[in-house]
Every structure is written in structure tokens, then in C-alpha cells.
Amino acid sequence: MDNIPQKLGYAFLLAYPVIACVLSLLITKYTIPLLAKAGFLASTGDRHIHKQTTPTAGGIAMIIAFILTLGLAFVSERIGIGIVDFSQNYKFLIPLVVLLIPTGIIDDRFGIRARYKLVLQIIVALLCWVLGIRFCLKFCNSSFELIELALTVFWIVGFINAFNLIDGMDGLAAGITMIASTCMAIVLFLNGDVGNAVIMMCLGAVCLGFLRYNFYPAKVFMGDTGSMFLGYMFATVSLMSSTKAASFSSLMIPLLAGGLPLIDTFLSIWRRVTFKMLSGAENGVMSADRKHLHHRILESHNNNQASTAKIMYFVALILGLAGIAVALLDNRVPGIALVLVLFCFLVVVRRFAFIELRNSTQLLFQGFKQPKKTILICMILPLYDLAVLFIGSVLTAWLLGIDYREEMFSIIMGNILPIMVFLAISRNYRILWLRAYFDEIFHLAGILVLAFMFVFLLNYAVTTNIVLHAFALKYILFFLLTFVAIIASRIFLLQLQSLMVKHFRHSRLNKSCTPVVLYGGGFNSLLYTLMNYSRLDGQQEKLVGIIDDDKALTGLYIYGIKVCGSIENLESIFQRVGFCKIVVTTANISDEKLTRLECFCKKHKIALESLAVRREPRIDPTTM
């Protein structure tokens, strides 16, 4: 008989999501006509996809269903049939009810300017901080609370806006949240955090009930009221759970489970910033556009919203399962968990970020429309090096069990400042690393070695009671951490331009360009390639192959372009590749072969051009 209350408690745990789903379904149904009468209507046109006026602010129904379900959980606990103490999990409701919900309702009815809405979201995040919903970094004491505060505000505001941005199509935000919250709940159950797991299950359940009227063709939209509520819940529950299981997975799991909205937000900021730098337009980062992930997939699927939503659901499911895998691997093989996170991020960026990569490539070649931006670029590398040296010092002390806070002054004056002076006087910050040679890398490496030797000898000379091997170990570890990070950043910048060109060459944005083959695989073919991809003005050509009479080169890749064969195989190459232009990049072509190319091009109505690289004297001092 003693087990009856416990069994009832477990039954209620499973019943809560069902109750939440039913409540959401019923409340949404009867709320739709009330919203229309109250004037909560989404306008059509502009960047909106829907073609007819539709009631919005349906998130009110989700919130009511969610709060009623949590109220039932609270009552069941008080009457003795609940086995989980939810009382510590309810504090997140205060900022939600007091400020975030009214902000969403007012915005859906009357509209609020983006900057004012952002300020209100920051206030909500600050309220969460006061209530103890915050980052708790293990290596930080009270003197580092400002860092924790900044991270907490960034985390909460970021999630709120991420889910707000993804709510741009019928059923999208609700379906993605349903999948993401279910995956998050599974991870929380695995970690033993049953209270927060049930909250996430109820969140997914209210989304499922709402989806009945929100999937295409939608009868109601959730509006900013609903999307901000979903983002806020993800942010706060992940923070509350991370304080109970502070590990790599405690941060990575919500980033993966809610990865699709976050990636879309990251791409939106990247896209809008690079566009503003390129065009000098007045539009800022907060300006809306129709370049979100769902817009791109929608366009490629003939504006089929149902198919687009299902594709986005699938991507969200993959990311959610990756989050579960990270939770399972973190304590066993943390390295594999990190690789899995990076792999997911790289795959999504490579698959969807073609517009952003195009803009970045154009920036590398053309520079900025606004000259003042170059000042910021010149400041990036010194600030990066300064951050690397500081983090390297702190990390070295932490790894060796040294209290770095007591040595902060000596770290700055004895380690960081001398190395920064060496880097400054070595003309390192006067090098445009995007267009540097590898010789500059070796020069920088030598300067860093000299700087670290100087720092080691300086600190050895002024420090008393030294244990030599421990002292040497500290500086060797400090050297390795910072040396690798600084050199790797320069190598990355050095290769960035060629990597962007290579990606653009295979990008879907390059599919409509004129297919061209080059005749000749010498240096001039590289020159033509760089000239072609540096234009980025809508007149680019797609280099599909190289023809070279050196048969040993057939099948090999020259400057990233495949050698398709020699002039003897011209007909078969044309049938296989289907080019529209031949560009002769070599000056060492016989008249016979040139005539053969001309006849071939006339026969197939193909353009033929020659790349002429020559020197023209302007002033001859001997004739003056």
C-alpha cells in the first residue's frame, strides 16, 4: 500500500504532457475567434508568406495551457500524490508573467520597435539573474560575477530572438520546439533532473496541441507572444538544469536541441552585417529580410510550406539526436562529443550558408564601402592576441592548480605586456594577413619564440624560491597554448581567401554562371581563376575544366580544377562537360591548334577568348 502514492506520482508525470496537449488544443480552438475580434490580426504582403489575414497572438493559448498544467503539478504535489518537488522550478514564471508576456501581447496588437523590445528582453534577463537563474562558472568567484551576468543576459536574449526569427512559416516554430523540447527532456531525464524534464515535456506538448491549428494552412499564428515564450523557456530551463549538472554537455545540449533557431539567428546576423559592410546601406542587423533558412528551402520547393516545414523538422530532429549523443558521450568520451558538435555546425553552415559565404568572399576581395570599418579590422588582431595571452595565462594556472587571481598583476605585467610589445615592434600588426606569404608566418613564429624566451628569463630573474622544473613547465605550457592559437589564426587568415573562393566555386549561387574550360594549365590559368572569382559582381564564370596537351596531367586537379584531357579529346569533353566558352590561357599554342579550336567553336557556337598578359612601356628614359 505504501507504493500507491509513488505509482500515482509516476503516472502523473506521464499524464502532465497529455493534459498540457489537450488543454492547448481546446484553448487554442476557442481562442481563435476571440483573437480576431480583439484585433490580433497578422497583415499580409511585404516579407510575409501568408496570403490572407490570419489571427495572431495564439501563443496566449499555449501559455495558459502551460501554466494551468504546472498549477496542476503544484497541487498534486501538495496533496501528496506527486513525487517531484517542482517548487524550485517555478521562479522562472515571474519574469515571464510580469514582463515578457505583456511585451509580446502589446507587440502583436500594436507593434513595438525592435530596439525597445530588445531593452525589455534585457530587463527580463536581468530579472532572471536576480532570481538565481544564471550561469554558474566553476572557476569563477564573486569577483567574476559581471562575466556570469553578461553571459546570462546574452544567453536568454539570444534564445528569445532565435525562436522569434524562426517563426516565419506555418507550423515551423511550434514543430521545431516540440522536437527540440522532447530531446531536451530525454537528456534531463538521463541526468536525473526530473522536474525540469517534465517542464520541457509539457512545453513540447502545448506546441503539439497548438500545431493542430498552426500547421499549413494555419488558422492562427503564435505571434511574438508565443515565439518569445518558447525561446525564454528553452533559455531558462537550460540554465536551471546546468547549475545541477555543470559540464560540457549542460551547455552544448540546449545549443544542439535548439540548434536550428540559433543557427538561423547566427546566419541572419552574419548576412546582414556583411551586406551592410558591402553596400553601406542604412539597414541594420535588426532589419527583416526574406533570406532565412525556411525562405531558402521554401523557394527551392516551389513555395510548398508543408514540405519545407517537414524538412526543417528533420534537421531539428538530427540536431536534437546529436544533443542526446553528446549527453551520452560527454562523461565517457568528451573529445568525441566536441567533435560531434563541431561537425554538426560545419555541416549546417556548409549546406545553408551560401549567401553569407558569398558576401564574406566579396568582402575579402572588394573591401568595405564604409572606410571607417577598416579601423575596426586593424584592431581585431591585437585584441585577439591580447585575449589569447590572457586566456592562455589563466588556463595554464588553472591546469597547474595555481590561484591565478593572486598573480593577476604579475601575469599582466610580466607575461602579457612584454609579449604584446614584441609583437607590436615586429611589424606584425602592419601585415595584411589576408594577402601575406608563408614567410611572414615563420617570421611571426620566430618573434614569438624570442618573446617567450625573454619573458621566461625575465620572470626567472625577478622571482625568488623557484622550483626550476615546475617553473619551466608553467612557461612551456603557456607557450604551447598561446603559440598555437596565434599562429593558427594567421594561417587561417592566410588561407581564408582561397577557401572562400573554393567554396564559392562549388556554391549553388555559382550554378547559373557560364560554364567555361581553360586551354592550358600553366600559371596563367591560376591568374584567370583569381581574376574571375575576384569579380563577384554577377558576371562570374563557372570554371568546369582544363584542357592541356600534357597527357600526364589528365585526371589531375590544377588549382582546384580538373584536367579533362587534351585537344584530341575536345569532342568527348564537350559532350561530357557541356561548356559554353573556351579561354586560351597559354601563349605557347601553335597556329594549327588555334585554328582547330576556332573551327570547333564555330561548329558548336561556342565563344573563344584568349588571355593576354603583356607589358606595355609607358616611358622610355633612353629616348628622353
Side-chain angles (χ1 to χ4, degrees), residues 271-497:
R271 178 177 65 253
R272 294 168 187 174
V273 168
T274 53
F275 177 76
K276 185 175 177 63
M277 289 179 176
L278 284 169
S279 63
E282 295 296 329
N283 295 339
V285 176
M286 305 295 288
S287 302
D289 58 30
R290 290 196 60 173
K291 301 294 183 183
H292 292 281
L293 292 178
H294 51 275
H295 289 131
R296 303 180 196 184
I297 298 175
L298 186 66
E299 183 179 351
S300 64
H301 285 75
N302 299 319
N303 293 321
N304 189 322
Q305 292 195 44
S307 297
T308 301
K310 291 173 184 177
I311 293 172
M312 297 287 279
Y313 294 167
F314 179 74
V315 176
L317 178 61
I318 295 299
L319 291 173
L321 293 176
I324 295 174
V326 167
L328 295 173
L329 293 172
D330 183 38
N331 295 326
R332 298 176 177 87
V333 196
I336 295 180
L338 178 60
V339 170
L340 181 60
V341 172
L342 294 175
F343 176 76
C344 290
F345 176 78
L346 290 175
V347 167
V348 173
V349 169
R350 180 168 178 79
R351 179 65 181 86
F352 294 109
F354 46 89
I355 294 177
E356 292 75 16
L357 289 170
R358 188 271 311 273
N359 289 349
S360 301
T361 306
Q362 195 169 352
L363 272 176
L364 290 176
F365 283 104
Q366 295 183 357
F368 301 91
K369 290 292 184 183
Q370 299 177 354
K372 63 182 180 180
K373 298 290 186 180
T374 57
I375 300 175
L376 297 177
I377 296 300
C378 294
M379 294 173 58
I380 288 176
L381 281 179
L383 291 175
Y384 171 82
D385 292 344
L386 191 62
V388 165
L389 291 171
F390 178 77
I391 294 172
S393 300
V394 172
L395 188 58
T396 299
W398 181 67
L399 290 173
L400 296 178
I402 302 172
D403 188 358
Y404 61 87
R405 292 182 293 272
E406 296 181 358
E407 299 187 4
M408 187 59 67
F409 181 78
S410 62
I411 286 175
I412 294 175
M413 301 303 296
N415 293 350
I416 298 176
L417 184 60
I419 296 174
M420 288 300 297
V421 170
F422 265 85
L423 291 174
I425 64 177
S426 66
R427 73 181 179 86
N428 167 62
Y429 299 125
R430 299 180 63 187
I431 299 172
L432 182 59
W433 287 98
L434 290 170
R435 302 174 188 175
Y437 290 104
F438 262 102
D439 291 347
E440 307 286 358
I441 297 288
F442 295 122
H443 177 263
L444 175 61
I447 294 296
L448 285 173
V449 171
L450 288 176
F452 276 99
M453 290 177 62
F454 174 81
V455 166
F456 175 81
L457 295 175
L458 175 66
N459 284 274
Y460 183 77
V462 300
T463 306
T464 58
N465 300 323
I466 294 176
V467 179
L468 184 59
H469 71 275
F471 187 79
L473 176 62
K474 180 176 75 172
Y475 278 93
I476 290 173
L477 184 58
F478 174 50
F479 170 75
L480 291 176
L481 290 173
T482 53
F483 180 86
V484 170
I486 292 174
I487 294 296
S489 68
R490 292 346 187 244
I491 294 176
F492 173 75
L493 291 174
L494 197 62
Q495 296 297 316
L496 183 60
Q497 185 166 305

Side-chain angles (χ1 to χ4, degrees), residues 93-144:
L93 290 175
I94 298 174
L96 177 67
V97 174
V98 171
L99 190 56
L100 193 64
I101 294 176
T103 299
I105 293 174
I106 295 172
D107 187 35
D108 286 331
R109 181 61 181 87
F110 303 104
I112 301 177
R113 296 187 67 176
R115 66 184 67 177
Y116 301 137
K117 192 160 52 174
L118 180 62
V119 170
L120 292 170
Q121 292 168 357
I122 292 174
I123 295 174
V124 168
L126 293 175
L127 285 175
C128 291
W129 165 265
V130 172
L131 293 170
I133 305 173
R134 59 175 71 175
F135 272 98
C136 294
L137 306 178
K138 281 186 174 181
F139 56 86
C140 292
N141 65 357
S142 57
S143 62
F144 283 85

Side-chain angles (χ1 to χ4, degrees), residues 79 180 211 213 217 242 265 284 308 410 415 466 511 528 530 536 569:
I79 63 177
L211 200 59
Y213 299 99
S242 66
T265 303
T308 301
S410 62
N415 293 350
I466 294 176
K511 301 300 183 184
Y528 188 87
L530 294 176
L536 296 175
N569 314 114

